[in-house]
Amino acid sequence: PFELVVRNDNVLWGASGNEIITMAYKDHVWAILGTVDGANTHIAIRVALKAELPMMTSGDLDPTYIETNIPWVFRNIGDDRQQNYLLVDYLFRKLDYQRVAILRASNRYGRFGVREIRDGARRIGRPIVIEMAHKVGDTNLTMQLDRVEDSKPDAIVYWGDGEDGALALNAIRARGMKQPVFFCDRAVSDEFVKIAGANAEGVWCTYPWNPDRQDPKLEAFKKAFKERWGVEADTYAAHAYDGVNMFLWAIQTAGLNRAKIRDVLAHRPDPFPGVTGD
């Protein structure tokens, strides 16, 4: 039998560290799935390192999560680097754009999210013409868009939350700017479509997996999730489902030993057949 222990780190910054301690030494968990927020995740994995506790994120796409080289942490979802590489290839090699501008949120997600777009564009000889940041929730982007417009870009890449992205898109179109706009995966949401309205038509978004592919496992999961919860399964639900199943397999294979659970995951010789893919 397995029991799920649920804790919430969505309070004061740094609370995730306290929750990891509670789960490791009071709840005596064998592994942890989480978290979603990049800043909280970075604190959590450092505590997990000291507690020697396997930890897997199914929602944090921050590239630096893995770059910490902490051997106890795993990720079962593609990160922002992979989305960046896809965008660089599509923008410059497939569409042959010469001048691309970046507009992003000024938080950690926006700052680290576009790093490989910037570096990749420079490496292939077409550096980003301008990168402008705005505060999260800022509705007045006049200064940022003045400078983006002056740079005469062929296309614009936006990186930030869905609501901010939709407001930015509306501001871009309100100025009469007709450049194609490319977004990160957070724009793939009902919230983005609701706020952007007609402007949402024709935008391009990267995404860490293909939720529409034909796969009996995926179809069965979607059906069961809808029947259980009354809503469609999103990317967080699907990757969390895969993450839990990976842990269940590891525990059943290795036994109740945190180090061995970590080892069988780290050294599994073949891909895990998840509903989001291998």
Side-chain angles (χ1 to χ4, degrees):
F2 289 89
E3 179 183 353
L4 192 64
V5 176
V6 180
R7 296 283 179 180
N8 180 20
D9 71 353
N10 192 26
V11 285
L12 292 175
W13 190 76
S16 54
N18 296 332
E19 298 296 354
I20 300 296
I21 292 297
T22 300
M23 287 191 285
Y25 297 109
K26 292 184 179 179
D27 297 326
H28 301 291
V29 301
W30 298 103
I32 294 177
L33 182 77
T35 69
V36 173
D37 177 72
N40 281 339
T41 301
H42 266 278
I43 296 170
I45 61 177
R46 283 160 172 78
V47 180
L49 168 64
K50 297 297 184 182
E52 298 185 337
L53 187 60
M55 184 169 176
M56 181 182 299
T57 179
S58 58
D60 174 20
L61 275 60
D62 183 348
T64 61
Y65 173 83
I66 293 296
E67 291 171 358
T68 56
N69 286 327
I70 293 175
W72 293 88
V73 304
F74 300 89
R75 163 182 275 140
N76 73 336
I77 185 171
D79 66 19
D80 287 332
R81 285 178 303 187
Q82 293 165 300
Q83 294 189 58
N84 282 191
Y85 299 148
L86 182 67
L87 268 176
V88 168
D89 180 71
Y90 195 72
L91 289 168
F92 297 111
R93 293 201 172 106
K94 300 282 195 314
L95 300 179
D96 199 30
Y97 289 138
Q98 301 296 315
R99 301 176 62 81
V100 173
I102 291 176
L103 179 63
R104 64 169 179 82
S106 61
N107 57 5
R108 180 187 179 88
Y109 176 64
R111 187 168 66 255
F112 284 101
V114 300
R115 189 174 59 178
E116 293 299 330
I117 298 178
R118 192 170 57 241
D119 291 349
R122 187 182 66 250
R123 283 194 297 270
I124 63 175
R126 300 182 191 181
I128 298 300
V129 293
I130 192 170
E131 179 180 335
M132 295 301 298
H134 69 86
K135 292 182 179 179
V136 174
D138 196 349
T139 57
N140 184 1
L141 304 181
T142 302
M143 182 269 289
Q144 289 88 346
L145 293 182
D146 281 346
R147 296 184 182 181
V148 169
E149 193 170 19
D150 287 345
S151 70
K152 296 181 172 53
D154 300 324
I156 300 168
V157 173
Y158 182 87
W159 214 270
D161 290 336
E163 180 179 354
D164 285 329
L167 293 173
L169 177 63
N170 289 342
I172 289 169
R173 296 299 183 235
R175 295 173 67 101
M177 298 170 66
K178 301 189 181 301
Q179 291 94 337
V181 185
F182 296 78
F183 289 85
C184 56
D185 64 297
R186 292 193 183 182
V188 185
S189 66
D190 294 337
E191 180 183 42
F192 178 88
V193 174
K194 181 180 179 181
I195 296 172
N199 290 330
E201 185 65 34
V203 304
W204 297 78
C205 305
T206 58
Y207 210 57
W209 66 300
N210 179 8
D212 297 321
R213 78 181 195 288
Q214 300 303 307
D215 184 333
K217 295 193 302 295
L218 178 59
E219 293 306 316
F221 167 72
K222 285 181 174 180
K223 182 172 181 286
F225 191 93
K226 182 71 177 292
E227 290 175 354
R228 176 81 177 269
W229 303 109
V231 295
E232 299 293 340
D234 61 9
T235 182
Y236 296 105
H239 283 94
Y241 180 76
D242 281 346
V244 168
N245 277 315
M246 291 171 76
F247 274 144
L248 298 186
W249 167 81
I251 292 168
Q252 289 171 329
T253 301
L256 294 180
N257 181 304
R258 290 174 179 173
K260 289 183 178 180
I261 293 167
R262 179 263 167 207
D263 287 348
V264 297
L265 279 171
H267 299 289
R268 182 184 166 101
D270 54 327
F272 188 87
V275 297
T276 57
D278 287 344

